[in-house]
Amino acid sequence: MPHKIDEIGISPYETSLEPEKVSLPYHAALQNVKWLGAVLAEKASGNRIEKLPLVVKHGNRIYPAISLIAACVALDVDLADITFGNRTISIPTRNGAISIPTDEKGQIRVNYVGGRQAFLKNSHSLARVYESILSDDEFLPMESFKDSIAFIGNDDIMGSDMHTTPFGKSLISGLAIHATVVNSILQKKFVNTAPWYVNLLVLFLVVFCVSCIQNMFSPRAGVICLASSLICIAAGAMAYFQFRGTL
């Protein structure tokens, strides 16, 4: 990326691989390639990818994620125009800047739109596309790709690049996760995290209410109050995430 490491206001996600062990694509295959993007992501428990690094540091170089590149191409924005701040990446557009919330490493929390079924309607076999181009009888109209962002990759349900999502045991490919991030950026729909003091305030209020009721009435009333508080917290958290996109 056209930025110096010490000028970036975030701590880029670092790969665990040593520079000499990384094999980049064959040079001849990159002659017509405008940008080179990273596809790395750190897995959480249960093989689930919750966050995706938009900026990857490897050795003394910084690489953008392929999803960040795709969004910039769609928005007609040069990578050099992106600004990095404290827990945010800003993309300038004609309609105002898109501010992407990230963590301190420049990772975006993936805003999943559904399981694998959400992507199947927009997926096509590359062999079928190729046959459609060669055949007079089109299996798939090429106009369906007009003004679209096309990702090419493996979507084999038995492949190694399949990951679980918050939508149960549904598996989706890493390709679909990057497509999800691009959609999130273009639609300006992100998952935000509540500030630490909000969580601390909620905890304080619950402890205070339970203590008061237990002292005023009985331990049984305190237990009932605690159970009710936990149910209210869970319901409130779900509602806040549903309508405000905040965890």
Side-chain angles (χ1 to χ4, degrees):
M1 290 185 72
H3 294 276
K4 293 182 180 178
I5 292 178
D6 54 2
E7 292 179 353
I8 292 183
I10 58 174
S11 173
Y13 175 92
E14 288 203 51
T15 64
S16 58
L17 300 173
E18 297 177 17
E20 60 271 16
K21 292 184 179 179
V22 173
S23 177
L24 291 175
Y26 182 55
H27 177 72
L30 302 176
Q31 289 182 354
N32 296 316
V33 174
K34 187 174 182 180
W35 299 110
L36 193 66
V39 294
L40 299 172
E42 194 172 293
K43 296 178 183 178
S45 59
N47 198 36
R48 186 170 66 249
I49 292 180
E50 297 178 352
K51 294 181 179 181
L52 192 75
L54 294 180
V55 185
V56 174
K57 177 188 173 188
H58 183 71
N60 62 346
R61 293 180 179 271
I62 290 181
Y63 298 90
I66 192 173
S67 45
L68 182 60
I69 289 179
C72 287
V73 171
L75 295 167
D76 194 23
V77 173
D78 194 281
L79 280 172
D81 296 328
I82 297 176
T83 46
F84 299 88
N86 184 22
R87 296 177 179 267
T88 182
I89 295 177
S90 181
I91 302 177
T93 69
R94 298 184 184 92
N95 299 319
I98 298 177
S99 184
I100 307 172
T102 66
D103 62 10
E104 67 281 356
K105 292 184 177 181
Q107 297 183 112
I108 183 175
R109 188 176 289 275
V110 182
N111 188 11
Y112 287 101
V113 296
R116 191 165 182 264
Q117 295 299 321
F119 296 91
L120 290 179
K121 60 183 179 181
N122 294 321
S123 298
H124 306 281
S125 163
L126 190 59
R128 189 172 180 83
V129 174
Y130 187 63
E131 290 174 5
S132 181
I133 295 174
L134 297 180
S135 175
D136 294 331
D137 181 24
E138 287 192 352
F139 299 101
L140 181 68
M142 292 299 101
E143 289 77 15
S144 62
F145 292 100
K146 182 176 174 59
D147 297 326
S148 298
I149 301 174
F151 284 88
I152 303 174
N154 191 0
D155 193 34
D156 182 10
I157 192 69
M158 300 302 293
S160 60
D161 191 30
M162 301 300 291
H163 311 274
T164 56
T165 73
F167 292 86
K169 296 181 179 180
S170 176
L171 295 174
I172 68 172
S173 64
L175 196 75
I177 295 176
H178 279 281
T180 300
V181 171
V182 174
N183 176 73
S184 181
I185 294 173
L186 298 181
Q187 298 293 330
K188 301 180 183 179
K189 294 182 178 179
F190 306 109
V191 176
N192 295 291
T193 304
W196 64 269
Y197 54 82
V198 173
N199 295 318
L200 189 62
L201 179 61
V202 171
L203 178 63
F204 172 77
L205 289 175
V206 169
V207 172
F208 180 75
C209 291
V210 172
S211 299
C212 289
I213 290 178
Q214 188 165 337
N215 289 331
M216 293 172 61
F217 299 98
S218 66
R220 180 178 296 179
V223 172
I224 295 174
C225 178
L226 176 61
S228 302
S229 299
L230 294 177
I231 292 173
C232 289
I233 289 174
M238 292 176 66
Y240 206 64
F241 177 75
Q242 182 71 27
F243 298 107
R244 295 295 297 274
T246 300
L247 277 177

